[in-house]
Amino acid sequence: MVLLRNGYAYETAVETLTSPNIMSPDQVVQSTNFYPESLQPTVPKNPISSLVKTSQTKTFKRPMKKRRQTRFVTKHGHCNVRHGNVKDRLRYFADLFTSIVDLKWSYNVAIFVATYTLTWLGFGFLWWLIAYCRGDLSKEHPEDVCVLGITSFTSAFLFSIETQVTIGYGTRAITDNCPEAIILLLTQSIFGSIVDAFMVGCMFVKISQPNKRAETLVFSEKAVVSLRDGKMCLMFRVGDLRSSHIVEAQIRAKLIKSRQTQEGEFMALDQTDLDVGYTTGADRLFLVTPLIICHTINEKSPFWNMSATDLQEEEFEIVVILEGMVEATGMTCQARSSYVEDEVLWGQRFMPVLMLEKGFYEVNYSNFHEHFEVDTPSVSAREQLCQIASAE
C-alpha cells in the first residue's frame, strides 16, 4: 500500500507472515514442485530465531523521496560519468583505431563513407591534373595520352574509383607514356589497401563487439537482506536468457559511498569491494540457471554495523559486475547493474525459479524478480552476535 504524507510517498506492508496472503518458506518450496514428494526439504530451526517474533513481524517504512546522490551506474549498466575540461585531447589521436571504434554507429558510418569519398575525389583530382598538364583533355589521338578515356573531371573521378576498388570496365586505362601516371597508380593502389584494412577493420570490430550480448544477462530488480545458514546476507540474483552460455563467468560487487577520513579528507564515491565468494571461489559461476549471489555480512563487511533502521537513513550504491567470454565468439563480455539503498529490501528472500519437469529442469523467469517476506532480525549483524554471546 502507498500512503502520501507531508509531500512524500510511503510504502507500507500491512501483511505479516501470519497473514494468509503471504506464504511461509515451507509453502514456497513445496509450491515449486522442484523436489519429488518423498524428498521435500524441511526448513531447519534458525539458531537465532529467538531474536524474531514471528507473530509480530516488524515492517519497515521507507520514504520514496528523491536521493541526494545521483546514481553512479544505471540499472542498464551505463556509467553516469562525463569527462570535462580535458585539455590534451590529442591523446585520443594516438590511439585513433580505438577512438573510432568507440564512436556511435552514426559517426562510424559517416567516417566510413567520408573516408572513401574523399580518397576517390583526391586521387580523381590528381588524375585530372595529370591529364590537364599533359594536355590530354584536348588531344585527338588517344595514343599520346597518359590515360585513355579521361576527358573531364568526372571521367577522372570514375577512373579513380575503378583503380582503387579494382573495377575494370575496359573504357578507361593507363598507358606507358607518362611515368608520373604510373607512380600515381602505384601510390593509389597501396594507399587504397591501407584504407581498406583500417576502415574494414574498424567496422568488423564494431560489429563483433559483444555489447549486445550483455542485454540477455539480467540482474534482479531488487537486492534482499535476510538470514542464510544463520548469518545475515546481502543477496541478488543473476541469470542468462540465452542457451549459449558465458564461459568462465565471474561476478564482482563494489560499494559506492562517499565518506570522510579521520584527517578530514572527503572521498567522493569511494569504492569498497564486497566479498561475493572470492575467498571460496563462489564468485566463479556456472551460469546455466539463475543464481543467487550472496555477500555474507561479517566483521569485514561494510554492512556489519547496519541495521534495518540504518538502512533507511544511509545513502549508498552497490555496483555489480558480471564478466565472462561469449561462447560463440570467444570475446570478453561485461554486464553491469546497481542497487541503491531504496532497492535493498530488509527481511526478504527470492522466490525459487527452478522446477523439475519430466526429464529436464525448467526455469520460470516470471519469478525471477519476485521475493517474499521472511523472519529477519531488525538489528545489525554485530548486535545479533552480541545477543547470542550474551544469551550463551
Side-chain angles (χ1 to χ4, degrees):
M1 185 192 318
V2 178
L3 302 178
L4 295 177
R5 184 182 301 172
N6 297 331
Y8 295 99
Y10 289 79
E11 52 183 8
T12 62
V14 296
E15 297 87 3
T16 63
L17 285 175
T18 58
S19 173
N21 296 329
I22 298 182
M23 295 186 295
S24 66
D26 295 332
Q27 294 172 334
V28 172
V29 174
Q30 294 174 3
S31 64
T32 58
N33 193 27
F34 177 78
Y35 300 95
E37 184 176 357
S38 60
L39 297 178
Q40 287 291 342
T42 58
V43 180
K45 294 183 178 180
N46 199 309
I48 60 174
S49 59
S50 60
L51 301 178
V52 185
K53 297 181 180 180
T54 57
S55 60
Q56 296 179 353
T57 303
K58 187 176 181 180
T59 57
F60 306 99
K61 300 179 182 180
R62 179 181 298 280
M64 300 170 58
K65 57 184 179 181
K66 185 177 179 180
R67 302 179 71 240
R68 297 186 303 273
Q69 179 174 307
T70 304
R71 186 186 286 268
F72 186 60
V73 177
T74 65
K75 297 295 287 184
H76 298 287
H78 301 291
C79 297
N80 192 18
V81 177
R82 295 183 181 180
H83 300 282
N85 298 326
V86 180
K87 297 181 179 179
D88 193 6
R89 293 187 176 273
L90 295 177
R91 292 179 178 268
Y92 293 106
F93 293 96
D95 188 10
L96 186 60
F97 184 86
T98 304
S99 300
I100 294 178
V101 172
D102 289 341
L103 294 175
K104 296 181 179 179
W105 264 110
S106 56
Y107 294 123
N108 269 269
V109 174
I111 292 176
F112 186 86
V113 174
T115 300
Y116 278 103
T117 303
L118 292 177
T119 303
W120 296 334
L121 286 173
F123 280 101
F125 173 76
L126 294 178
W127 286 114
W128 175 85
L129 185 63
I130 291 177
Y132 177 80
C133 294
R134 285 280 186 168
D136 295 345
L137 301 179
S138 59
K139 288 183 179 180
E140 298 180 357
H141 302 285
E143 294 83 5
D144 300 331
V145 299
C146 295
V147 181
L148 298 174
I150 292 184
T151 57
S152 62
F153 178 78
T154 303
S155 58
F157 173 70
L158 294 176
F159 179 72
S160 175
I161 297 176
E162 295 176 17
T163 302
Q164 188 163 330
V165 299
T166 65
I167 298 177
Y169 291 115
T171 57
R172 282 174 286 270
I174 189 173
T175 64
D176 56 357
N177 296 328
C178 304
E180 60 271 24
I182 299 175
I183 295 175
L184 182 60
L185 177 65
L186 296 175
T187 303
Q188 184 174 6
S189 299
I190 296 173
F191 186 80
S193 299
I194 297 175
V195 171
D196 290 339
F198 186 84
M199 297 308 303
V200 173
C202 288
M203 297 300 290
F204 176 78
V205 172
K206 185 71 174 179
I207 293 172
S208 59
Q209 278 186 325
N211 295 340
K212 295 301 180 180
R213 180 63 177 89
E215 298 293 333
T216 53
L217 297 174
V218 292
F219 297 86
S220 58
E221 296 177 352
K222 307 289 184 181
V224 298
V225 177
S226 61
L227 290 169
R228 173 178 279 191
D229 295 330
K231 299 178 181 179
M232 292 294 291
C233 296
L234 171 71
M235 294 170 284
F236 58 93
R237 179 181 274 165
V238 297
D240 188 1
L241 302 179
R242 285 189 179 273
S243 299
S244 58
H245 309 306
I246 296 295
V247 181
E248 297 183 3
Q250 188 173 13
I251 190 73
R252 293 184 291 133
K254 287 184 175 292
L255 175 66
I256 309 295
K257 183 180 179 181
S258 301
R259 68 181 184 92
Q260 192 170 7
T261 63
Q262 297 178 357
E263 296 77 16
E265 178 187 3
F266 178 74
M267 302 182 65
L269 301 178
D270 184 46
Q271 301 184 14
T272 304
D273 283 332
L274 298 179
D275 188 3
V276 289
Y278 177 78
T279 56
T280 61
D283 61 330
R284 294 185 289 272
L285 310 178
F286 182 50
L287 198 58
V288 179
T289 60
L291 299 176
I292 296 178
I293 310 301
C294 177
H295 165 67
T296 303
I297 303 178
N298 51 26
E299 295 86 350
K300 298 180 180 179
S301 172
F303 302 110
W304 175 242
N305 296 315
M306 184 177 294
S307 64
T309 305
D310 297 332
L311 180 61
Q312 305 176 40
E313 301 174 356
E314 291 288 341
E315 191 164 300
F316 60 87
E317 184 173 350
I318 301 173
V319 177
V320 293
I321 305 169
L322 177 62
E323 294 178 324
M325 290 191 302
V326 181
E327 187 179 34
T329 62
M331 302 186 70
T332 303
C333 173
Q334 184 181 92
R336 298 180 294 265
S337 186
S338 68
Y339 303 96
V340 296
E341 66 279 355
D342 292 335
E343 297 167 346
V344 179
L345 306 180
W346 192 282
Q348 298 286 325
R349 185 181 298 166
F350 285 112
M351 292 281 291
V353 295
L354 192 61
M355 293 181 290
L356 177 61
E357 300 294 340
K358 294 182 179 180
F360 64 93
Y361 295 95
E362 182 178 357
V363 179
N364 182 15
Y365 276 99
S366 61
N367 291 337
F368 184 84
H369 301 286
E370 300 298 325
H371 46 79
F372 61 95
E373 189 177 358
V374 293
D375 290 339
T376 305
S378 60
V379 296
S380 64
R382 183 183 63 83
E383 293 176 353
Q384 294 178 32
L385 184 62
C386 294
Q387 292 180 12
I388 294 174
S390 60
E392 294 177 352

